[in-house]
Amino acid sequence: MLSRLGALLQQVVETREPSVDLLEAFTEHWKGITGYYLEATDESVPARQTDIPWRLKQMLDILVYEEKQHPAGEAGPCLEYLLQHKVLETLSTLGKAEYPPGMRQQVLLFFSRVLGQVQHPLLHYLNVHRPVQKLLQLSGDRLGSGVEKEEAQFVAVLCTKIKQDPTLLAYILEVSKGAEHPSGTAAAASPRQAEPSPPRRDSNLITSLMGLCKSKKSRVALKARENLLLLVGLAQEAAAACLVRSSTLCQLLTEHLCDLYSAVPTSTDPADVLALERALPQPHENLAAFFGWLDYLDELVMGAHPVVADAITEAVEEKFFQGILQPQLLQMSELDVLSATAVLTGTVRQIRSPPLLRCLVLFLLGSDRHPETPGDTPHPLRTQLIDRCNHLSDEISLASLRLFEELLRKPHEHVAHSLALRNLQARGYLQRSPPVPDEDLEEDPYFTDGFPDAGFGSAKKPLPGSAPSGKGQVSEVVSSFLCLVPEEAKTSSCMEEGGYDTYVHDALGMVQACRADAAPWGWPPAPRPLDACYPETAFYEGHFLKVLFDRMTRILDQPYSLNLQVTSVLSRLAAFPHPHLHEYLLDPYLNLAPGCRSLFSVLVRVIGDLMQRLQRVPHFRAKLLLVRRQLMGLVPGEQMDHAMLFKGVVVLEEFCKELAAIALVKGPPEGPP
């Protein structure tokens, strides 16, 4: 019985004794650190060769051990000592002085470990968040070079704590002002509400993270970017508003984007932008850095709280789109225009976040949704970009067409509406009354010459009383496009190539992608009934379609690469599931209103011109076959007369096959006319 009582008393003593011993040990280690500065004589001795790192480690271990001995939420004597005697404040000052050499590294490690391992909430105490702010203000200065790893670890701990309790963000971003707390236990250990201040350029958590994002050490930069993503994604609106209002986050993100863009040489080859990959060789590292940061910005906006996402988007629009891109795109220097257009195309391709994408689309195309009128230029940049698809410089035309193809790939309804649909809503291209018998395109001798027994003659005109919109069966529509190019001008069959079915797989993928994008847009499944359409003015196809159709009329006189790009843009438009676009671009049976043209009627005109010109070229059939073999790489290229014409014929044949494949995949338009 006595032995049991003795053991119990011993246990009680052992439970109480450490609290005194721990505090004594803690204060002894702290006095040992401060004493070093009184006794040290050699200022060149690095901190790691002193006993400071060991003493800091002992202090940390004591704090962690003490916390385990006390109930959750209760501060032990050592933690109270740390708060009351401004231990962290003193350490931040020693870190700033960087004495002994390497002291800042030790201080950063100690702060990171204390904040990460001690579970008791600390950052809302003045004597904790004030020295934390001071350490953050040291980020990036000359004395601190070489401690990026420790800085990254420090800010990572802070971001984790803020993620757990977003109200802490206000304390971390606070700019010290006003009277300080009076000294004393109660004042030092009690939390003080931080009042957010206006954004300043003072170093803080955001500027520290931004500096680390630019680090040459990839692991440090990656960790900083992950932590910035964590911050902008805070769910609480108050924290998001604080991030926008009390930091220079948006300005810093955008300024870095502008700086990286300015570093891209104006002589950049558009092909380099098109072939852009994550790891580019040395000459293109500026281009890779710009697109890498743009991709990160896009990811930030994608994952950010709507308040933060809108603020970043607004800054990007003001500083980058309006401030840098627009002046370059509107200038007259062809070299600068070519470079800016190529980078803009890459930018369009890169952006996926809805806020940034919407901002970019409206920046390029404007917000107008009403039908266009000839000569109307409410949005100068849109007008300029479309005009450049028909530029005297083939390079600029090619780059501009690529830009619009990328735009049409984006899942944003306003792109297709602004470029084409706004002008097709009233179906003004259709003849409202039965056509007057007259010589029309289909009766052109150059059109019918190439179609003996082709079956096209029976499909060339709707029967009297048929629907004004035409609407042939899918097989007839497909046949119409396949029969457009006369047999004597076709070469794919001679090369043992497949017919239009070789395009069906690609057409299916493109149509399915367009349908998936357009699903949320609420497009009608059938055209508007004609009796509900009231065109206010004569039909105008719109600036964009006019330029594309004009380009198509010159397909026999344009470079091969330009023809491929024009037909690629038209194919993309034809793949959209809007019934008016389908009708206007893929229905050969339309009764067009006087003065109107459709894609099919444009192709008819081109075929007429082709047959007229081929009759004047000796041995055109053999030369045409040779050109196709050259384009396929079967024979070496060589100079010959009319090469551009023959290449245009090849593109024309393949384009008609592609349109036939798209028409087959999409099927017939639904509903009544």
Side-chain angles (χ1 to χ4, degrees):
M1 184 68 179
L2 288 174
S3 62
R4 275 181 160 186
L5 184 59
L8 186 60
L9 289 171
Q10 180 66 29
Q11 186 179 353
V12 171
V13 170
E14 288 176 353
T15 304
R16 290 184 172 277
E17 233 176 14
S19 65
V20 178
D21 294 341
L22 287 177
L23 182 58
E24 286 181 0
F26 189 83
T27 54
E28 180 187 339
H29 286 303
W30 177 237
K31 289 175 181 176
I33 291 173
T34 55
Y36 171 85
Y37 291 87
L38 300 174
E39 301 167 2
T41 55
D42 188 354
E43 297 183 358
S44 63
V45 177
R48 65 177 181 274
Q49 294 180 14
T50 68
D51 64 351
I52 291 176
W54 175 77
R55 289 191 180 280
L56 288 173
K57 179 68 167 62
Q58 296 305 307
M59 291 170 66
L60 172 69
D61 291 343
I62 290 171
L63 288 171
V64 173
Y65 178 79
E66 178 190 67
E67 186 173 51
K68 292 177 181 177
Q69 308 307 310
H70 287 77
E74 181 182 314
C78 298
L79 183 57
E80 288 184 354
Y81 182 92
L82 178 127
L83 295 171
Q84 294 167 11
H85 291 80
K86 301 184 179 180
V87 171
L88 296 179
E89 190 89 32
T90 305
L91 282 174
S92 66
T93 302
L94 297 177
K96 180 178 182 180
E98 186 63 348
Y99 171 67
M103 186 60 184
R104 185 175 302 178
Q105 180 185 41
Q106 301 302 321
V107 171
L108 285 167
L109 286 171
F110 182 71
F111 270 64
S112 300
R113 290 165 179 168
V114 167
L115 294 172
Q117 296 181 35
V118 174
Q119 300 305 308
H120 188 84
L122 293 175
L123 281 168
H124 59 297
Y125 290 111
L126 176 66
N127 285 346
V128 177
H129 68 249
R130 183 168 58 189
V132 163
Q133 291 166 5
K134 287 184 178 179
L135 272 186
L136 290 170
Q137 288 169 7
L138 302 178
S139 177
D141 71 356
R142 181 180 56 81
L143 288 175
S145 58
V147 294
E148 280 186 336
K149 181 181 175 183
E150 288 73 24
E151 282 183 7
Q153 185 178 342
F154 177 49
V155 297
V157 171
L158 292 177
C159 291
T160 302
K161 291 294 180 182
I162 293 170
K163 181 70 173 178
Q164 295 168 358
D165 181 7
T167 61
L168 293 174
L169 183 63
Y171 295 98
I172 304 301
L173 292 181
E174 178 192 25
V175 178
S176 299
K177 60 180 181 178
E180 297 185 359
H181 281 265
S183 57
T185 304
S190 63
R192 178 169 73 101
Q193 180 62 42
E195 299 176 6
S197 305
R200 290 178 53 179
R201 288 288 179 174
D202 296 342
S203 295
N204 56 28
L205 178 60
I206 300 303
T207 55
S208 181
L209 276 170
M210 280 297 301
L212 293 170
C213 284
K214 304 173 190 177
S215 172
K216 299 296 183 184
K217 299 175 182 176
S218 58
R219 294 184 66 180
V220 169
L222 179 62
K223 190 66 179 174
R225 293 184 182 193
E226 289 173 352
N227 283 302
L228 199 50
L229 273 169
L230 187 146
L231 275 187
V232 301
L234 293 174
Q236 285 76 359
E237 186 163 347
C242 175
L243 195 59
V244 171
R245 186 176 61 247
S246 301
S247 78
T248 53
L249 172 67
C250 302
Q251 296 93 312
L252 291 172
L253 289 170
T254 310
E255 282 174 7
H256 189 47
L257 181 72
C258 295
D259 291 343
L260 291 172
Y261 178 80
S262 300
V264 176
T266 54
S267 58
T268 300
D269 189 339
D272 293 336
V273 179
L274 291 175
L276 185 68
E277 293 178 358
R278 284 283 169 254
L280 285 172
Q282 271 294 323
H284 307 299
E285 64 179 22
N286 291 331
L287 192 63
F290 167 75
F291 281 114
W293 187 253
L294 178 67
D295 186 55
Y296 175 65
L297 256 185
D298 187 57
E299 192 176 353
L300 271 182
V301 174
M302 187 93 75
H305 186 284
V307 170
V308 181
D310 290 344
I312 295 174
T313 300
E314 185 179 338
V316 170
E317 179 183 20
E318 179 186 349
K319 300 293 184 185
F320 181 56
F321 292 163
Q322 303 282 358
I324 291 183
L325 270 184
Q326 182 161 292
Q328 286 203 356
L329 290 167
L330 292 176
Q331 64 179 322
M332 301 306 292
S333 165
E334 290 193 4
L335 183 62
D336 290 343
V337 164
L338 193 59
S339 173
T341 305
V343 175
L344 176 59
T345 304
T347 300
V348 171
R349 178 190 301 172
Q350 200 96 326
I351 288 178
R352 296 167 296 117
S353 62
L356 267 181
L357 179 57
R358 180 179 181 278
C359 174
L360 179 60
V361 167
L362 293 180
F363 163 69
L364 294 176
L365 303 180
S367 58
D368 290 333
R369 294 180 66 84
H370 55 78
E372 296 176 76
T373 54
D376 189 23
T377 58
H379 194 71
L381 180 57
R382 176 186 186 273
T383 303
Q384 188 87 294
L385 291 173
I386 293 176
D387 278 338
R388 288 196 183 127
C389 294
N390 209 7
H391 200 273
L392 289 174
S393 163
D394 291 336
E395 279 189 293
I396 289 180
S397 295
L398 193 59
S400 301
L401 286 164
R402 283 178 183 147
L403 168 64
F404 283 102
E405 184 177 19
E406 285 297 335
L407 267 175
L408 288 166
R409 291 177 186 274
K410 307 310 289 187
H412 199 288
E413 183 269 347
H414 189 65
V415 177
H417 186 91
S418 175
L419 294 178
L421 277 173
R422 61 197 285 191
N423 306 300
L424 308 180
Q425 298 290 58
R427 300 174 75 191
Y429 44 85
L430 292 178
Q431 176 79 6
R432 289 305 201 267
S433 55
V436 178
D438 193 8
E439 182 178 352
D440 57 15
L441 291 175
E442 288 84 358
E443 292 167 344
D444 191 307
Y446 301 120
F447 176 77
T448 55
D449 274 355
F451 297 94
D453 304 320
F456 188 78
S458 60
K460 66 185 178 182
K461 292 176 67 176
L463 294 174
S466 63
S469 60
K471 287 191 181 172
Q473 295 297 319
V474 174
S475 58
E476 294 174 349
V477 172
V478 170
S479 176
S480 296
F481 281 109
L482 293 180
C483 294
L484 262 177
V485 178
E487 288 298 325
E488 55 265 42
K490 290 182 179 178
T491 50
S492 57
S493 56
C494 302
M495 305 298 299
E496 297 183 356
E497 290 185 28
Y500 80 102
D501 51 306
T502 57
Y503 285 94
V504 170
H505 181 269
D506 290 341
L508 181 61
M510 182 164 61
V511 168
Q512 287 177 340
C514 287
R515 282 176 178 163
D517 288 342
W521 299 344
W523 280 355
R528 287 175 63 188
L530 272 180
D531 54 12
C533 297
Y534 305 101
E536 296 180 3
T537 58
F539 175 71
Y540 174 53
E541 60 227 344
H543 193 185
F544 186 61
L545 283 175
K546 180 182 185 304
V547 166
L548 291 180
F549 286 176
D550 288 348
R551 275 291 184 190
M552 278 303 300
T553 61
R554 302 198 299 274
I555 193 172
L556 304 178
D557 302 294
Q558 293 174 157
Y560 178 69
S561 58
L562 198 54
N563 283 336
L564 289 179
Q565 195 59 56
V566 172
T567 55
S568 181
V569 173
L570 282 167
S571 297
R572 171 63 55 173
L573 274 172
F576 278 107
H578 196 287
H580 294 178
L581 264 177
H582 180 98
E583 177 179 69
Y584 189 60
L585 297 179
L586 291 177
D587 191 345
Y589 299 94
L590 294 181
N591 284 333
L592 293 172
C596 297
R597 57 181 179 173
S598 66
L599 177 57
F600 192 79
S601 72
V602 169
L603 292 173
V604 167
R605 283 289 185 192
V606 172
I607 296 298
D609 182 37
L610 168 65
M611 296 312 298
Q612 197 173 26
R613 293 168 66 173
L614 286 184
Q615 292 172 9
R616 299 197 295 264
V617 178
H619 311 295
F620 80 86
R621 180 75 176 169
K623 293 178 179 178
L624 187 57
L625 282 169
L626 178 60
V627 166
R628 179 176 274 274
R629 289 193 178 96
Q630 290 176 352
L631 292 175
M632 295 174 64
L634 299 177
V635 296
E638 60 182 56
Q639 294 292 329
M640 70 166 69
D641 293 337
H642 310 292
M644 186 176 289
L645 170 65
F646 294 135
K647 288 178 182 179
V649 175
V650 173
V651 173
L652 185 61
E653 180 185 355
E654 296 305 308
F655 182 47
C656 289
K657 286 159 61 176
E658 185 176 15
L659 291 176
I662 294 172
L664 176 71
V665 168
K666 291 181 73 177
E670 304 174 23

CSV table of all heavy atoms in Angstrom, one decimal, residues 508-531:
chain,number,residue,atom,x,y,z
A,508,LEU,N,-16.5,14.1,-88.4
A,508,LEU,CA,-17.3,13.6,-87.3
A,508,LEU,C,-16.7,14.2,-86.0
A,508,LEU,O,-17.5,14.7,-85.1
A,508,LEU,CB,-17.3,12.1,-87.2
A,508,LEU,CG,-18.1,11.5,-86.0
A,508,LEU,CD1,-19.6,11.9,-86.1
A,508,LEU,CD2,-17.9,10.0,-86.0
A,509,GLY,N,-15.4,14.2,-85.8
A,509,GLY,CA,-14.8,14.7,-84.6
A,509,GLY,C,-15.1,16.2,-84.5
A,509,GLY,O,-15.4,16.7,-83.4
A,510,MET,N,-14.9,17.0,-85.6
A,510,MET,CA,-15.1,18.4,-85.6
A,510,MET,C,-16.6,18.8,-85.3
A,510,MET,O,-16.9,19.7,-84.5
A,510,MET,CB,-14.7,19.0,-86.9
A,510,MET,CG,-14.8,20.5,-87.0
A,510,MET,SD,-13.9,21.2,-88.4
A,510,MET,CE,-14.7,20.5,-89.8
A,511,VAL,N,-17.5,18.1,-85.9
A,511,VAL,CA,-18.9,18.3,-85.7
A,511,VAL,C,-19.3,18.0,-84.2
A,511,VAL,O,-20.1,18.8,-83.6
A,511,VAL,CB,-19.8,17.5,-86.7
A,511,VAL,CG1,-21.3,17.6,-86.3
A,511,VAL,CG2,-19.6,18.1,-88.1
A,512,GLN,N,-18.8,16.9,-83.7
A,512,GLN,CA,-19.1,16.5,-82.3
A,512,GLN,C,-18.6,17.6,-81.4
A,512,GLN,O,-19.2,17.9,-80.3
A,512,GLN,CB,-18.6,15.2,-82.0
A,512,GLN,CG,-19.4,14.0,-82.7
A,512,GLN,CD,-18.8,12.7,-82.4
A,512,GLN,OE1,-17.6,12.5,-82.1
A,512,GLN,NE2,-19.6,11.6,-82.6
A,513,ALA,N,-17.4,18.1,-81.6
A,513,ALA,CA,-16.8,19.1,-80.8
A,513,ALA,C,-17.6,20.4,-80.8
A,513,ALA,O,-17.8,21.0,-79.7
A,513,ALA,CB,-15.3,19.4,-81.2
A,514,CYS,N,-18.0,20.8,-82.0
A,514,CYS,CA,-18.9,22.0,-82.1
A,514,CYS,C,-20.2,21.8,-81.4
A,514,CYS,O,-20.7,22.7,-80.8
A,514,CYS,CB,-19.1,22.3,-83.6
A,514,CYS,SG,-17.6,23.0,-84.4
A,515,ARG,N,-20.8,20.6,-81.5
A,515,ARG,CA,-22.1,20.4,-80.8
A,515,ARG,C,-21.9,20.4,-79.3
A,515,ARG,O,-22.8,21.0,-78.6
A,515,ARG,CB,-22.6,19.0,-81.3
A,515,ARG,CG,-23.3,19.0,-82.6
A,515,ARG,CD,-23.7,17.6,-83.0
A,515,ARG,NE,-24.4,17.6,-84.3
A,515,ARG,CZ,-24.6,16.6,-85.1
A,515,ARG,NH1,-24.2,15.4,-84.7
A,515,ARG,NH2,-25.2,16.7,-86.2
A,516,ALA,N,-20.8,19.9,-78.8
A,516,ALA,CA,-20.6,19.9,-77.4
A,516,ALA,C,-20.4,21.3,-76.9
A,516,ALA,O,-20.9,21.7,-75.8
A,516,ALA,CB,-19.3,19.0,-77.1
A,517,ASP,N,-19.6,22.1,-77.7
A,517,ASP,CA,-19.4,23.5,-77.3
A,517,ASP,C,-20.7,24.3,-77.3
A,517,ASP,O,-21.0,25.1,-76.4
A,517,ASP,CB,-18.4,24.2,-78.2
A,517,ASP,CG,-17.0,23.7,-78.0
A,517,ASP,OD1,-16.7,23.1,-76.9
A,517,ASP,OD2,-16.2,23.9,-78.9
A,518,ALA,N,-21.6,24.0,-78.3
A,518,ALA,CA,-22.8,24.8,-78.5
A,518,ALA,C,-24.0,24.4,-77.7
A,518,ALA,O,-25.0,25.0,-77.6
A,518,ALA,CB,-23.2,24.8,-80.0
A,519,ALA,N,-23.8,23.2,-77.0
A,519,ALA,CA,-24.9,22.6,-76.2
A,519,ALA,C,-25.5,23.6,-75.2
A,519,ALA,O,-26.8,23.7,-75.1
A,519,ALA,CB,-24.5,21.4,-75.5
A,520,PRO,N,-24.7,24.4,-74.5
A,520,PRO,CA,-25.3,25.3,-73.5
A,520,PRO,C,-25.8,26.7,-74.1
A,520,PRO,O,-26.3,27.5,-73.4
A,520,PRO,CB,-24.1,25.6,-72.5
A,520,PRO,CG,-22.9,24.8,-73.0
A,520,PRO,CD,-23.2,24.4,-74.4
A,521,TRP,N,-25.7,26.8,-75.4
A,521,TRP,CA,-25.9,28.2,-76.0
A,521,TRP,C,-27.4,28.4,-76.3
A,521,TRP,O,-27.8,29.5,-76.8
A,521,TRP,CB,-25.1,28.4,-77.2
A,521,TRP,CG,-23.6,28.4,-76.9
A,521,TRP,CD1,-23.0,28.5,-75.6
A,521,TRP,CD2,-22.5,28.2,-77.8
A,521,TRP,NE1,-21.7,28.4,-75.7
A,521,TRP,CE2,-21.3,28.3,-77.1
A,521,TRP,CE3,-22.4,28.1,-79.2
A,521,TRP,CZ2,-20.0,28.2,-77.6
A,521,TRP,CZ3,-21.2,28.0,-79.8
A,521,TRP,CH2,-20.0,28.0,-79.0
A,522,GLY,N,-28.2,27.3,-76.3
A,522,GLY,CA,-29.6,27.5,-76.6
A,522,GLY,C,-29.9,27.7,-78.0
A,522,GLY,O,-30.9,28.4,-78.3
A,523,TRP,N,-29.1,27.2,-78.9
A,523,TRP,CA,-29.4,27.4,-80.4
A,523,TRP,C,-30.6,26.6,-80.7
A,523,TRP,O,-30.8,25.4,-80.3
A,523,TRP,CB,-28.2,27.0,-81.2
A,523,TRP,CG,-27.2,28.0,-81.3
A,523,TRP,CD1,-27.2,29.3,-80.8
A,523,TRP,CD2,-25.9,27.9,-81.9
A,523,TRP,NE1,-26.1,29.9,-81.0
A,523,TRP,CE2,-25.2,29.1,-81.7
A,523,TRP,CE3,-25.2,26.9,-82.6
A,523,TRP,CZ2,-23.9,29.3,-82.2
A,523,TRP,CZ3,-23.9,27.1,-83.0
A,523,TRP,CH2,-23.3,28.3,-82.9
A,524,PRO,N,-31.5,27.1,-81.7
A,524,PRO,CA,-32.7,26.3,-82.1
A,524,PRO,C,-32.3,25.1,-82.9
A,524,PRO,O,-31.3,25.1,-83.6
A,524,PRO,CB,-33.5,27.3,-82.9
A,524,PRO,CG,-32.4,28.3,-83.4
A,524,PRO,CD,-31.4,28.4,-82.4
A,525,PRO,N,-33.1,24.1,-82.9
A,525,PRO,CA,-32.8,22.9,-83.7
A,525,PRO,C,-33.2,23.1,-85.2
A,525,PRO,O,-32.8,22.3,-86.0
A,525,PRO,CB,-33.7,21.8,-83.0
A,525,PRO,CG,-34.8,22.5,-82.4
A,525,PRO,CD,-34.3,23.9,-82.0
A,526,ALA,N,-34.1,24.1,-85.4
A,526,ALA,CA,-34.6,24.3,-86.8
A,526,ALA,C,-34.5,25.7,-87.2
A,526,ALA,O,-34.6,26.6,-86.3
A,526,ALA,CB,-36.0,23.7,-86.9
A,527,PRO,N,-34.5,26.1,-88.5
A,527,PRO,CA,-34.5,27.5,-88.8
A,527,PRO,C,-35.8,28.2,-88.4
A,527,PRO,O,-36.8,27.6,-88.3
A,527,PRO,CB,-34.4,27.4,-90.4
A,527,PRO,CG,-33.9,26.0,-90.7
A,527,PRO,CD,-34.4,25.1,-89.6
A,528,ARG,N,-35.7,29.5,-88.3
A,528,ARG,CA,-36.9,30.3,-88.0
A,528,ARG,C,-37.8,30.2,-89.2
A,528,ARG,O,-37.4,30.3,-90.3
A,528,ARG,CB,-36.5,31.7,-87.7
A,528,ARG,CG,-35.9,32.0,-86.4
A,528,ARG,CD,-35.4,33.4,-86.3
A,528,ARG,NE,-36.6,34.4,-86.3
A,528,ARG,CZ,-36.4,35.7,-86.4
A,528,ARG,NH1,-35.2,36.2,-86.5
A,528,ARG,NH2,-37.5,36.4,-86.4
A,529,PRO,N,-39.1,30.0,-88.9
A,529,PRO,CA,-40.1,30.0,-90.1
A,529,PRO,C,-40.0,31.4,-90.8
A,529,PRO,O,-39.8,32.4,-90.3
A,529,PRO,CB,-41.4,29.9,-89.4
A,529,PRO,CG,-41.1,29.3,-88.1
A,529,PRO,CD,-39.8,29.8,-87.7
A,530,LEU,N,-40.0,31.3,-92.2
A,530,LEU,CA,-39.9,32.5,-93.0
A,530,LEU,C,-40.9,33.5,-92.7
A,530,LEU,O,-40.6,34.7,-92.8
A,530,LEU,CB,-40.0,32.1,-94.5
A,530,LEU,CG,-38.7,31.7,-95.1
A,530,LEU,CD1,-38.9,31.3,-96.6
A,530,LEU,CD2,-37.6,32.8,-95.0
A,531,ASP,N,-42.1,33.1,-92.3
A,531,ASP,CA,-43.2,34.1,-92.0
A,531,ASP,C,-42.9,34.8,-90.7
A,531,ASP,O,-43.6,35.8,-90.4
A,531,ASP,CB,-44.6,33.4,-92.0
A,531,ASP,CG,-44.6,32.3,-91.1
A,531,ASP,OD1,-43.7,32.1,-90.3
A,531,ASP,OD2,-45.7,31.5,-91.1
